[in-house]
Amino acid sequence: MKRAAIGLLALVLTASLAACGGTSTPESAGPPSGAGSAFPVTVDTAFGQVTVEKAPTRVVALGWSDAETALALGVQPIGASDWLAFGGEGVGPWAKGLYEKAPTILGTQELSFEAVAALQPDLILNTRSNLDQKTNETLSKIAPTIAAPKDVIPYGTTWRQQTELVSKALGKPDKGKELIANVEKEFKDAAAFGGKTAVVGAFFGGKYGAYVPGDGRVDFMKELGFGTKKDVDSLAKGSFYVDISTEQLGLLDADLTVLFPIGSDAGALKADPVLNGIPSAKAGHLVILEDKALSDAFSSGSTLGVSYAIKNAVPLFTAALRK
């Protein structure tokens, strides 16, 4: 047995003993308010049913925006992954002030199972992930793990599905329904783009790419009434993003083209003569999300981030289409 596996086994055993009163535990985050009578609950996931026996008091949020979803439901994760590299507490500005105590920040692509086990969680949230079965099996040995729902692509859990999964696991299904209803109303109030097509892309590492159906950014545009572009959709191979070469930049043309840089500023996009030569750009229908907070909100996939994006991105879309 490898040393890492031995270490993980020891940490899992320590957590199990702690749950039974066999050893002291770190300060508890406390159970979700008013959730005790909701348990036990059983949650359906891509890897089968998961039963949460009692109200969790030590929640670790590993999936993309799982921490923001828990916070929106009034629950404070003790550990969380920072997928969008926010720094600090690992959440966007739309969730600022919701933590009473900063969580332990954990890895994303290179997750330390030992670090997760050391937090002695009684519930792990991993609802928007790469859907790796071995990862789920290892996490499930540490604590009940809520994975993605069935029949989604990697990282394809929608904000609705995530809210439903997390709220059920936390014993707060009614609060989850309330959050979903609020965001749906915001979309309905903002939706005025029926009959228009939109393509959403990014510029990362000197290369362009486009998001495809199953990704939260595409879902966001569809909620507003936009249709997708079949030439882009056809490139999808079970992923949420496809590369677009410079010679293919015409694929980004639509009634509305939305792009944002990742890891750089928008200068390269504004100066690119090929990009600015596509019909939507020439017509003024290219929106470059220069504000990192806005592009992060657009990418967050949480009810908090989606709400922020509706308020701040939709006016930009409307203004562009009026040109």
Side-chain angles (χ1 to χ4, degrees):
M1 185 179 291
K2 294 182 179 180
R3 183 177 300 174
I6 295 173
L8 175 58
L9 180 60
L11 284 167
V12 172
L13 179 59
T14 299
S16 298
L17 288 172
C20 297
T23 184
S24 61
T25 62
E27 182 181 353
S28 171
S33 176
S37 61
F39 294 89
V41 296
T42 299
V43 182
D44 291 322
T45 78
F47 301 109
Q49 293 186 328
V50 177
T51 298
V52 183
E53 297 290 349
K54 59 182 181 179
T57 62
R58 301 186 60 77
V59 177
V60 168
L62 300 179
W64 189 303
S65 71
D66 277 332
E68 291 185 8
T69 302
L71 287 168
L73 290 161
V75 173
Q76 307 253 320
I78 59 170
S81 298
D82 183 7
W83 281 95
L84 288 173
F86 291 116
E89 297 176 336
V91 294
W94 44 88
K96 184 178 181 180
L98 295 183
Y99 271 118
E100 296 173 2
K101 180 180 179 181
T104 297
I105 299 298
L106 300 162
T108 53
Q109 300 278 4
E110 298 179 1
L111 178 66
S112 167
F113 298 117
E114 290 83 359
V116 175
L119 292 173
Q120 300 178 11
D122 52 13
L123 181 68
I124 297 172
L125 303 175
N126 198 28
T127 71
R128 187 178 289 130
S129 71
N130 63 358
L131 291 173
D132 182 71
Q133 186 168 354
K134 289 185 177 179
T135 296
N136 187 76
E137 289 174 354
T138 304
L139 292 174
S140 296
K141 293 175 183 177
I142 300 172
T145 298
I146 309 301
K150 297 177 181 179
D151 302 322
V152 298
I153 62 174
Y155 303 104
T157 305
T158 69
W159 62 268
R160 280 188 187 83
Q161 291 171 321
Q162 185 175 50
T163 304
E164 290 168 350
L165 288 164
V166 174
S167 63
K168 186 172 184 179
L170 295 176
K172 293 195 168 191
D174 290 341
K175 179 62 176 176
K177 291 176 182 177
E178 178 186 334
L179 292 175
I180 290 171
N182 288 343
V183 174
E184 286 179 337
K185 184 178 185 305
E186 291 178 346
F187 268 123
K188 183 178 180 180
D189 291 345
F193 305 101
K196 302 287 187 180
T197 59
V199 171
V200 181
F203 183 75
F204 174 66
K207 298 180 180 179
Y208 289 97
Y211 296 96
V212 295
D215 177 75
R217 283 147 286 223
V218 176
D219 290 341
F220 182 98
M221 303 304 285
K222 290 170 71 175
E223 295 266 14
L224 293 172
F226 285 103
T228 59
K229 188 173 179 179
K230 292 182 179 179
D231 289 346
V232 175
D233 298 349
S234 65
L235 299 175
K237 303 295 182 183
S239 65
F240 66 93
Y241 185 81
V242 294
D243 291 328
I244 302 291
S245 67
T246 300
E247 293 75 20
Q248 295 176 304
L249 281 186
L251 288 171
L252 299 179
D253 177 53
D255 292 322
L256 181 71
T257 302
V258 181
L259 290 173
F260 54 89
I262 298 176
S264 62
D265 62 32
L269 298 174
K270 291 181 175 181
D272 186 343
V274 180
L275 173 64
N276 288 283
I278 67 175
S280 57
K282 287 183 175 181
H285 299 167
L286 167 64
V287 174
I288 297 175
L289 301 179
E290 300 182 61
D291 180 1
K292 186 176 185 302
L294 181 52
S295 63
D296 284 346
F298 192 53
S299 302
S300 70
S302 70
T303 56
L304 297 172
V306 168
S307 180
Y308 182 98
I310 292 171
K311 293 181 176 68
N312 294 279
V314 171
L316 300 180
F317 303 161
T318 300
L321 289 173
R322 283 176 178 167
K323 293 181 180 178

